[in-house]
């Protein structure tokens, strides 16, 4: 086995480069680098490929034909290399290349009911994951869905090169697996490297599940996306993205299925937690910093390519229901504010987002066809590409062809592929089996130019990321990088800046917060959990706060009560009406009332949705003296705020409805701050300090 990191820092005369090009190859503008300069010898990472030495320069012979092909020549432009490789690929290779599906490590049983037989390792899971039932709606499928193929089959038989990793093993295992995957890809066909994608991995998330957010793991731990927005600190947001970029890069995850540019204008929507709030302007500012932090000014070998989602904004749902399910497939705009949804996407496009993901839903009451956005040519071609000028990759969400074909249910699978390709989709998520796509391409040969265009766009991303030169990672560096203390120190600042102080009433002539030194505090967090009590009394191993922690409310001067509501997980949806009151979201209101009546109370609420809290607080409570909002943080961060170790500075990323009735009757596309003076208990942008 050959080793990686073959480096020569040499330059070749331009005349020699021209002489070395294959006879007849186009040497005009697209065959030179975009900088129109001679490129420097890059680091070459390889396992099985031979190295071609030409005039003291090194090149990988990825297709093992003993000669330098244009796509293997790093001196050429990304455009020229992509065009050359497109011309060499078979139809079967192109079809596989246009799919992205879940891939699994050895002993990784994501999305299946297997009992683990051992720890996850860096090897491959060679078992196909096939289902006759829609994994979301639990209804029969028209054709068995292969959500994941055995890794070797996926690469060598299906020609896949785009994968989504769901598991969260230790950094060493993840990096070793990524290298093994790249070695397999290098050994097959034209040696096209893989691109590994993931959902967010750096946030405290209440609804952490495959397909949404990985949640807390070994990566640095930051507030949820709403918490980042609540900081109102764009510089720290950019720093977060850059830190996460370094972590992802170190383990070989080069693509983010993130972030959500959707607006949280519908408080009942079960995906509010992944947004940056209800304000289009705030979300746009956040998207700019996120994209630039992960990608840089342009895609390069140290970038993480982002897939901004879900175009043209998925927050205006009907009744808060999500279009993963047929009962949530309609997106409605009673306030006529579709254009408002577009502002964060415009910011992401201006910052250079590599890809955009359309959502499953279809628009109702707009000029556009009432078909899912992956099929909507007017939305993807006229609006996204035409009006907004997006020139990157259009990546479908998981399963619009066979699982969520809203508006085109009567079409066959090949017909759905045809309509989606004509609408502008470049890569399809949710299946590892290219047979139905191949059937469509053979039945409708007029689609082949669209296929070549899609493959070209996908190859451009890989070339820009430097994957053809070196897709491998240094395992020791990954271990040293993931979650390192310097990164977590910066995350700790964000965890505190994300907390919002909303009420601070006087108690005995002075404000209730910050708590005075020596105050006896009963600190209870409350979160419903399966098989465990909801209440947890916090007793720190080391007291850094100058207060005394007690184990019963009767012993306290002050109760600090942190409620963490949680509705049903998105993927447990059954179409039942959605509510945002605490009692409907796993908070025992009677217990809370009984507790807070015992002593003066500081109430903290974790807002993964704009919860209605009038069952326990409505600005008139006699015992609740302070109210704070959190968006995914830690006990330690909350204590730093209430004791004055860190001054609160956060601002609300959305408005919270004053009552359930108000929440049920708001306009789903209208932000709370535009709903009128009687709508909110806590207003967007509200936040106090000391």
């Amino acid at each position: 086995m050959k080793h990686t990191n073959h480096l020569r820092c040499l330059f070749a005369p331009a005349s020699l480069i021209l002489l070395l090009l294959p006879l007849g190859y186009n040497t005009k503008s697209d065959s030179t680098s975009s900088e129109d300069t001679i490129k420097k010898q890059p680091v070459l990472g390889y396992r099985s490929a031979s190295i071609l030495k030409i005039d003291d320069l090194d090149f990988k012979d990825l297709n093992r034909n003993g000669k330098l092909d244009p796509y293997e020549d790093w001196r050429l432009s990304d455009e020229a290399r992509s065009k050359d490789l497109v011309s060499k690929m078979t139809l079967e290779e192109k079809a596989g290349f246009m799919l992205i599906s879940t891939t699994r490590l050895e002993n990784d049983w994501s999305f299946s009911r297997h009992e683990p037989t051992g720890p996850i390792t860096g090897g491959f899971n060679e078992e196909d994951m096939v289902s006759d039932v829609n994994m979301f709606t639990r209804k029969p499928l028209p054709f068995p869905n292969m959500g994941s193929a055995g890794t070797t089959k996926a690469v060598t038989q299906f020609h896949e090169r785009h994968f989504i990793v769901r598991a969260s093993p230790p950094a060493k295992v993840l990096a070793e697996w990524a290298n093994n995957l790249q070695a397999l890809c290098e050994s097959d066909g034209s040696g096209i490297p893989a691109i590994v994608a993931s959902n967010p991995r750096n946030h405290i998330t209440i609804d952490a599940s495959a397909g949404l957010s990985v949640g807390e793991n070994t990566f640095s731990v930051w507030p949820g996306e709403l918490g980042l927005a609540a900081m109102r600190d764009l510089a720290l947001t950019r720093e977060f993205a850059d830190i996460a970029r370094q972590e992802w890069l170190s383990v070989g995850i080069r693509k983010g299925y993130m972030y959500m540019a959707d607006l949280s204008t519908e408080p009942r929507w079960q995906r509010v937690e992944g947004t940056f709030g209800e304000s289009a302007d705030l979300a746009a500012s956040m998207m700019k910093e996120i994209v630039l932090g992960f990608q840089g000014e342009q895609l390069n070998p140290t970038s993480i390519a982002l897939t901004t989602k879900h175009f043209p904004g998925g927050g205006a749902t009907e009744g808060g229901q999500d279009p993963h399910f047929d009962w949530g497939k309609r997106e409605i705009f009673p306030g006529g504010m579709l254009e408002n949804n577009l502002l964060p996407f415009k910011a992401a496009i201006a910052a250079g987002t590599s890809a955009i993901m359309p959502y499953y839903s279809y628009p109702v009451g707009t000029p556009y066809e009432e078909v899912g956005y992956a099929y909507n040519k007017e939305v993807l071609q006229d609006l996204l590409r035409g009006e907004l000028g997006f020139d990157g990759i259009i990546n479908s969400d998981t399963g619009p062809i066979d699982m969520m074909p809203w508006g085109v249910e009567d079409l066959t699978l090949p017909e759905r592929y045809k309509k989606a390709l004509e609408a502008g989709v470049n890569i399809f998520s949710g299946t590892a089996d290219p047979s139905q796509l191949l059937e469509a391409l053979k039945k409708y040969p007029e689609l082949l130019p669209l296929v070549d265009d899609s493959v070209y766009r996908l190859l451009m991303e890989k070339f820009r990321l430097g994957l053809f030169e070196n897709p491998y990672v240094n395992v020791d560096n990954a271990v040293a990088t993931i979650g390192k203390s310097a990164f977590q120190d910066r995350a700790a600042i964000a965890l505190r800046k994300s907390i919002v102080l909303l009420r601070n009433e006087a108690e005995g002539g002075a404000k209730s917060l910050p708590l005075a030194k020596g105050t006896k505090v009963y600190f209870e967090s409350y979160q419903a959990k399966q098989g465990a009590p909801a209440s947890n009394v916090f007793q720190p191993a080391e007291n850094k706060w100058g207060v005394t922690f007690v184990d019963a409310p009767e012993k306290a001067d002050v109760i600090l009560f942190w409620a963490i509501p949680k509705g049903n997980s998105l993927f447990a949806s059954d179409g039942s009406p959605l509510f945002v009151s605490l009692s409907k979201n796993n908070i025992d209101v009677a217990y809370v009332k009984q507790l807070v009546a015992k002593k003066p109370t500081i109430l903290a609420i974790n807002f993964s949705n704009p919860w209605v809290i009038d069952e326990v607080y409505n600005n008139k409570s006699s015992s609740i003296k302070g109210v704070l909002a959190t968006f995914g943080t830690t006990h330690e961060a909350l204590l730093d705020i209430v004791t004055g170790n860190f001054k609160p500075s956060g601002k609300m990323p959305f408005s919270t409805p004053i009552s359930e009735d108000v929440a049920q009757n708001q306009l789903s596309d209208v932000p709370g701050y535009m709903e009128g003076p009687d709508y909110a208990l806590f207003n967007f942008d509200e936040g106090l300090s000391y």
Side-chain angles (χ1 to χ4, degrees), residues 502-665:
L502 292 166
R503 298 289 184 269
N504 189 11
E505 296 182 15
E507 177 72 8
K511 293 289 187 180
S512 298
L513 294 174
L515 298 175
K517 299 296 183 184
T519 301
K520 288 182 281 188
V521 178
Y522 173 77
F523 183 9
E524 178 181 329
S525 58
Y526 185 101
Q527 181 179 9
K529 298 175 183 176
Q530 282 190 336
S535 294
N536 175 62
V537 180
F538 184 75
Q539 292 278 2
E542 181 183 357
N543 189 342
K544 306 174 183 178
W545 296 280
V547 296
T548 301
F549 292 93
V550 297
D551 60 5
E554 291 79 10
K555 300 177 183 179
D557 299 318
V558 171
I559 293 171
L560 174 57
F561 184 76
W562 187 18
I564 305 173
K566 185 182 186 303
N568 289 333
S569 172
L570 169 65
F571 297 135
S573 174
D574 60 6
S576 299
L578 299 171
F579 301 92
V580 286
S581 293
L582 295 181
S583 60
K584 300 288 188 178
N585 289 279
N586 289 294
I587 299 294
D588 185 340
V589 169
Y591 170 77
V592 176
K593 286 182 174 180
Q594 182 184 35
L595 176 65
V596 303
K598 294 179 178 180
K599 292 291 174 72
T601 298
I602 305 301
L603 174 66
I605 303 282
N606 192 76
F607 285 94
S608 49
N609 280 76
W611 305 120
V612 170
I613 68 169
D614 63 345
E615 293 163 304
V616 298
Y617 180 81
N618 60 7
N619 275 335
K620 298 177 183 178
S621 171
S622 59
S623 60
I624 295 176
K625 303 301 180 181
V627 181
L628 300 103
T630 68
F631 305 92
T633 191
T634 63
H635 291 80
E636 292 80 6
L638 183 55
L639 281 168
D640 272 353
I641 294 293
V642 300
T643 60
N645 286 354
F646 196 100
K647 288 187 177 182
S649 59
K651 304 290 183 183
M652 289 295 285
F654 48 51
S655 311
T656 67
I658 197 165
S659 68
E660 186 68 64
D661 183 63
V662 164
Q664 295 295 326
N665 290 284

Side-chain angles (χ1 to χ4, degrees), residues 168-171 201 215-221 247 482-484 488:
S168 187
R201 288 179 172 261
E216 294 179 70
N217 56 91
T218 56
F219 289 62
S220 60
V221 179
E247 293 181 303
I482 297 296
K484 69 181 182 181
Q488 196 54 55

Side-chain angles (χ1 to χ4, degrees), residues 139-321:
K139 296 180 179 180
L141 289 169
F143 186 84
N145 175 268
M146 185 181 291
S148 177
T151 306
T152 302
K153 176 197 281 189
V155 171
T156 62
Q157 296 181 39
F158 290 162
H159 311 293
E160 276 197 271
R161 290 300 190 275
H162 298 87
F163 300 98
I164 310 167
V165 63
R166 313 288 188 181
S168 187
K172 182 176 186 291
V173 171
L174 200 51
E176 289 173 342
W177 167 81
N179 283 344
N180 290 336
L181 176 64
Q182 297 294 2
L184 175 62
C185 292
E186 182 184 326
S187 70
D188 178 68
S190 297
I192 300 173
I195 191 164
V196 178
S198 174
N199 291 107
R201 288 179 172 261
N202 291 83
H203 304 286
I204 297 176
T205 305
I206 302 305
D207 193 9
S209 55
L212 298 180
S213 176
V214 175
E216 294 179 70
N217 56 91
T218 56
F219 289 62
S220 60
V221 179
W222 296 71
E225 291 89 330
L226 289 167
L228 292 180
M231 296 191 310
R232 297 300 200 276
D233 188 333
L234 296 179
L236 188 52
T237 298
R238 174 84 70 97
E239 188 177 358
F240 149 72
D242 182 62
I243 285 172
R245 176 195 64 80
Q246 295 174 62
E247 293 181 303
W248 288 47
L249 181 67
S250 75
V251 293
I253 302 176
R254 299 302 306 278
K255 191 177 187 71
Y257 261 14
M258 57 194 191
Y259 275 81
M260 289 173 59
D262 314 87
L263 302 177
S264 61
T265 50
E266 166 54 78
R268 295 168 291 181
W269 187 32
Q270 290 165 296
R271 301 198 70 173
V272 166
E273 186 178 24
T275 74
F276 293 117
E278 70 181 16
S279 164
D281 290 333
L282 175 59
S285 297
M286 295 295 293
M287 288 305 307
K288 175 184 176 181
E289 302 306 325
I290 291 288
V291 173
L292 291 174
F294 273 98
Q295 293 191 172
E297 295 292 336
Q298 58 186 15
L299 280 188
N300 65 78
T302 65
S303 296
I304 305 302
L306 292 194
T307 300
T308 299
K309 55 189 188 180
H310 306 85
F311 193 79
T317 67
E318 190 170 38
Q321 303 288 351

